[in-house]
Amino acid sequence: MHNDTPLLTPTMHERHGRWPQAVSVDDFRRNLAAVHARMAAACQRVGRDPAGVRLLPVSKTKPETSLRLAYAAGCRMLGENKPQEAGRKWEAMGDLADLQWSVIGHLQTNKAKLVARFASEFQALDSLRVAEVLERRLQAEGRGLDVFVQVNTSGEASKYGLPPDEVAAFLRQLSAFPALRVRGLMTLALLSAEAVRVRRCFVLLRELRDRLRQDVPAGISLDELSMGMSGDYEIAIEEGATVVRVGQAIFGARDTPDSHYWPAAEGGRAVNHAE
């Protein structure tokens, strides 16, 4: 993918919590243009076509008014972490018929029915139980759902996702669920200012995907790699991301600190921090 010159792209994690708020359609247009320009530059550095990378704007914790401004600026799919929050927004914004929803956070089985009703995409599949419930609900709704298998590439106990060495067996099991259209893999990198450590997470996902592709079960695609957020999406693109999940660089910093929004789950296991 690269030439032999090491890429020294820094993270932008120091801006976490400090991105200026987007309060008008013009703000959103400007922010989207700035992100697209950085995406294109990252593609150019490694000889990729920018058309091969999709920007997923992440609207979690933001009010409906903000989402409507993003829609007016051209956003047609929005990413949300919490299924209930996403469901409320979906119902409130039902007048926008072409607006689609991507659920990018951890899903409990009791919320699967909701996701099966409205989501176009689910990026955090890491459990057979969730796959089974989603399949049943999707069949009842007469719908299919694009899914990404979440992989824990940082090795942190606080992160959801399958260990890399369990992904192959999990993919084989998923071929039993036709309503789940497996599109690829997703990961959350280490939240670190050390770009080398962040990059390692993205390299691990790409190399895992390349290995798995050699023997992928029928009906399963591994074309997509969802990796990279506001602070590190340029590094992710350099390492092969086809989807980047960008929230704060488009919408602005969140009022609610992440620690409040993701309290530790049972056993001290933190909840997904997907943008």
Side-chain angles (χ1 to χ4, degrees):
M1 180 176 291
H2 319 137
N3 57 25
D4 293 329
T5 313
L7 290 158
L8 303 173
T9 308
T11 74
M12 292 186 283
H13 286 315
E14 77 285 353
R15 299 188 67 178
H16 186 83
R18 296 180 185 158
W19 296 92
Q21 295 301 321
V23 295
S24 68
V25 177
D26 281 346
D27 286 347
F28 276 98
R29 286 198 181 114
R30 196 163 44 243
N31 291 350
L32 286 162
V35 171
H36 278 297
R38 284 180 171 272
M39 289 170 65
C43 285
Q44 190 172 9
R45 286 194 290 274
V46 292
R48 294 185 65 194
D49 180 355
V53 188
R54 167 164 65 99
L55 172 61
L56 176 62
V58 175
S59 50
K60 71 180 189 195
T61 79
K62 295 296 180 180
E64 183 191 335
T65 49
S66 203
L67 275 64
R68 287 184 178 274
L69 292 173
Y71 178 89
C75 297
R76 290 296 178 270
M77 183 183 266
L78 296 172
E80 288 279 339
N81 256 60
K82 291 197 163 186
Q84 281 170 300
E85 180 183 343
R88 283 195 301 272
K89 290 173 175 176
W90 165 66
E91 288 185 341
M93 299 172 72
D95 54 305
L96 306 177
D98 60 343
L99 180 59
Q100 295 185 305
W101 301 91
S102 176
V103 175
I104 61 176
H106 179 69
L107 182 62
Q108 294 169 311
T109 49
N110 62 347
K111 304 290 191 310
K113 182 179 183 180
L114 182 59
V115 169
R117 277 184 67 202
F118 75 87
S120 298
E121 182 176 88
F122 173 50
Q123 291 206 11
L125 184 62
D126 66 355
S127 133
L128 204 57
R129 277 186 63 230
V130 169
E132 287 165 349
V133 178
L134 271 176
E135 175 73 21
R136 194 164 65 243
R137 296 298 187 182
L138 287 162
Q139 294 284 2
E141 296 278 346
R143 299 183 73 230
L145 182 66
D146 288 346
V147 298
F148 291 64
V149 172
Q150 184 173 353
V151 183
N152 184 341
T153 55
S154 67
E156 294 166 282
S158 62
K159 292 247 172 74
Y160 284 106
L162 292 166
D165 61 359
E166 292 180 17
V167 177
F170 187 65
L171 288 174
R172 285 194 292 275
Q173 291 172 304
L174 289 185
S175 52
F177 305 117
L180 301 180
R181 300 186 293 252
V182 181
R183 297 300 192 212
L185 307 178
M186 178 271 235
T187 199
L188 309 174
L190 208 59
L191 190 68
S192 168
E194 294 178 60
V196 172
R197 297 177 71 202
V198 172
R199 188 180 294 276
R200 206 172 293 140
C201 297
F202 300 144
V203 170
L204 196 157
L205 194 72
R206 185 189 74 239
E207 291 179 343
L208 174 68
R209 188 276 305 270
D210 292 347
R211 283 198 305 278
L212 294 173
R213 248 184 172 169
Q214 295 164 25
D215 188 26
V216 75
I220 284 179
S221 162
L222 293 180
D223 290 344
E224 305 286 346
L225 290 178
S226 175
M227 54 190 197
M229 307 187 296
S230 289
D232 57 20
Y233 66 87
E234 294 164 284
I235 300 171
I237 289 169
E238 290 170 353
E239 296 304 337
T242 65
V243 182
V244 290
R245 310 178 302 272
V246 179
Q248 295 192 41
I250 295 170
F251 284 84
R254 295 183 200 95
D255 298 334
T256 320
D258 290 332
S259 57
H260 171 82
Y261 197 66
W262 294 277
E266 303 87 342
R269 195 176 192 224
V271 183
N272 238 0
H273 180 8
E275 195 312 294

